[in-house]
Each structure stands twice: as structure tokens, then as C-alpha cells.
């Protein structure tokens, strides 16, 4: 996941990333989020069934305000509970680009 994240930092053509069912957990979400804060073209992030739960969604919630290009986000199947949902809601409230969850 780290190699993918590094490439996303500098990529200016990729519009969608479908990386479901890879079990990359919280550390993978963290690496992706750091990269996507700098990426200006990725509009769709589909990271369902990756076993990151609330901890990973909390990282995503913190990064969402800086993900200005992101329009679509799929997090299904990641065991998100109330704590993660609250972090996601907070991040989405500061992000004006995501339209499809």
C-alpha cells in the first residue's frame, strides 16, 4: 500500500482507485490518506472490505477536509461503528466535494 500511496502523491491522471478487499487495515488507510491530501485528481476512492474499522475511519475523517478532488467514497464492509461514523461525519462536514458515500 505504501508504494501505491507514494505514486498517488505525484499522479495527475488517475480519476478512480478501486482497492477493495485488500485487507490493508489502518496503516494502509493512513498511507493512502497522506497521499490523497496532496493528490488533485482522484475523484473516486473505493476501499471497501479492507478491515480498518473505526481507527482507519478516524484517520480518513481527519484527512477528508484536505481531499478537495474527492467526489465518491465507498467504505462498506469495514466494520465502522459509532465512533468511526462520528469521525467520518466530522470530516465530511469540512469537505465540500464528496457527493456520493
Amino acid at each position: 500500500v505504501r508504494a501505491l500511496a507514494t505514486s498517488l502523491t505525484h499522479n495527475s491522471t488517475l480519476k478512480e482507485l478501486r482497492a477493495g478487499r485488500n485487507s490493508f487495515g489502518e496503516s494502509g488507510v493512513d498511507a493512502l490518506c497522506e497521499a490523497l491530501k496532496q493528490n488533485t485528481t482522484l475523484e473516486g476512492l473505493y476501499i471497501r472490505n479492507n478491515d480498518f474499522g473505526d481507527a482507519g475511519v478516524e484517520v480518513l475523517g481527519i484527512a477528508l477536509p484536505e481531499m478537495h478532488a474527492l467526489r465518491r467514497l465507498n467504505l462498506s464492509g469495514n466494520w465502522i461503528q459509532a465512533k468511526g461514523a462520528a469521525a467520518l461525519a466530522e470530516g465530511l462536514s469540512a469537505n465540500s466535494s464528496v457527493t456520493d458515500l
Side-chain angles (χ1 to χ4, degrees), residues 40-93:
T40 60
T41 59
L42 193 76
E43 297 177 358
L45 180 60
Y46 305 90
I47 50 175
R48 62 190 192 112
N49 299 314
N50 275 299
D51 304 321
F52 52 77
D54 286 344
V57 178
E58 287 178 39
V59 170
L60 180 62
I62 292 167
L64 273 169
E66 297 180 55
M67 295 179 179
H68 304 291
L70 192 64
R71 306 278 182 263
R72 295 171 301 283
L73 180 61
N74 184 335
L75 303 172
S76 62
N78 282 299
W79 305 100
I80 300 167
Q81 303 297 313
K83 186 176 180 181
L88 181 62
E90 186 174 334
L92 287 170
S93 71

Side-chain angles (χ1 to χ4, degrees), residues 1 4 18-25 46-51:
V1 175
L4 174 61
R18 294 180 182 270
R21 298 186 176 157
N22 286 292
S23 300
F24 53 67
Y46 305 90
I47 50 175
R48 62 190 192 112
N49 299 314
N50 275 299
D51 304 321

